[in-house]
Amino acid sequence: AQSVTQLGSHVSVSEGALVLLRCNYSSSVPPYLFWYVQYPNQGLQLLLKYTTGATLVKGINGFEAEFKKSETSFHLTKPSAHMSDAAEYFCAVSANTGNQFYFGTGTSLTVIP
Amino acid sequence: NAGVMQNPRHLVRRRGQEARLRCSPMKGHSHVYWYRQLPEEGLKFMVYLQKENIIDESGMPKERFSAEFPKEGPSILRIQQVVRGDSAAYFCASSPSASTGRPYEQYFGPGTRLTVT
């Protein structure tokens, strides 16, 4: 079975500061890991994904995440926050068979000017 | 290439009515997933379908909810006799089959926001 825990339902950072959103997962099989962003009243947009290979993955809008198997983590980072980064962020895990995703409860990111 | 389409975007129903939510997957995608997002919560899996087949419905409530993905046309999520607790955003996602792409990538539609009054 798979599950995801996102620590911190609300995170506030100053514009230009480091963004760090935490995600820990549980999986009985090698996981596929994803970060999605959701803007108000919109659907989910894929930021980045880890399937196999390089553990540091780069995504859109300057985001990146590192898969750490020993820590069962997949934290999302961005060196410098921009006002447009304010949104809800969801971490998700799936088994490598293409079936359902398990989502965390989300982290709402606020960027302070 | 159009993305995943969902309609309507907003749906208001009175208690006891039926709600029908439609999802057209991305072109070439044969797998459809439905998720429900309650306020202040993440997305919860409901059902996974391929054309004319329900593959996994472990997340579907036992009563009043049904889903289909016919050979022709969109996937339909149907909620009968809606109650206020059904108010939520319902998202559809699609993915390609293993023979045509990467089945582990799911692409999400904009969602249907159901309000039950």
Side-chain angles (χ1 to χ4, degrees):
Chain A
Q2 288 80 36
S3 67
V4 169
T5 301
Q6 289 184 243
L7 294 176
S9 58
H10 297 275
V11 170
S12 293
V13 300
S14 297
E15 189 175 15
L18 171 72
V19 176
L20 171 61
L21 304 182
R22 299 178 186 275
C23 172
N24 288 87
Y25 70 91
S26 171
S27 180
S28 56
V29 297
Y32 286 5
L33 294 157
F34 305 81
W35 275 101
Y36 285 86
V37 60
Q38 183 182 31
Y39 296 99
N41 297 317
Q42 295 188 25
L44 277 69
Q45 180 182 6
L46 179 66
L47 276 178
L48 49 79
K49 63 181 182 290
Y50 168 79
T51 54
T52 58
T55 55
L56 181 63
V57 293
K58 296 184 184 296
I60 62 172
N61 302 339
F63 284 94
E64 61 182 39
E66 186 171 9
F67 169 57
K68 292 187 176 180
K69 184 178 179 180
S70 61
E71 299 178 8
T72 60
S73 69
F74 191 57
H75 302 330
L76 181 71
T77 61
K78 182 174 180 178
S80 177
H82 191 273
M83 296 298 294
S84 61
D85 295 328
E88 190 85 16
Y89 291 81
F90 292 96
C91 181
V93 64
S94 76
N96 57 2
T97 56
N99 288 340
Q100 63 169 292
F101 280 20
Y102 295 85
F103 284 86
T105 52
T107 297
S108 176
L109 177 65
T110 300
V111 182
I112 303 167
Chain B
N1 187 11
V4 178
M5 309 289 286
Q6 289 188 250
N7 67 81
R9 293 291 306 274
H10 300 273
L11 182 61
V12 180
R13 286 287 180 267
R14 293 181 176 171
R15 281 180 295 169
Q17 292 184 319
E18 178 179 287
R20 284 188 177 232
L21 288 63
R22 295 174 182 77
C23 168
S24 297
M26 286 182 70
K27 186 177 180 181
H29 286 192
S30 56
H31 299 197
V32 165
Y33 310 79
W34 285 94
Y35 294 83
R36 176 166 61 177
Q37 184 181 31
L38 294 169
E40 306 297 321
E41 294 187 16
L43 280 71
K44 301 291 187 186
F45 168 78
M46 299 181 74
V47 62
Y48 163 38
L49 310 103
Q50 295 178 19
K51 286 284 188 181
E52 300 183 281
N53 283 303
I54 296 175
I55 307 302
D56 180 357
E57 56 181 348
S58 58
M60 287 279 271
K62 298 299 181 191
E63 298 178 348
R64 302 186 298 107
F65 285 72
S66 63
E68 63 177 5
F69 188 17
K71 186 176 181 180
E72 300 291 338
S75 175
I76 306 287
L77 179 67
R78 181 184 179 200
I79 311 172
Q80 295 178 290
Q81 299 176 337
V82 296
V83 301
R84 288 210 173 120
D86 297 332
S87 295
Y90 292 82
F91 290 95
C92 169
S94 73
S95 69
S97 64
S99 62
T100 60
R102 293 173 285 193
Y104 49 78
E105 290 192 357
Q106 294 188 14
Y107 297 84
F108 284 79
T112 294
R113 279 154 183 85
L114 172 65
T115 301
V116 179
T117 61

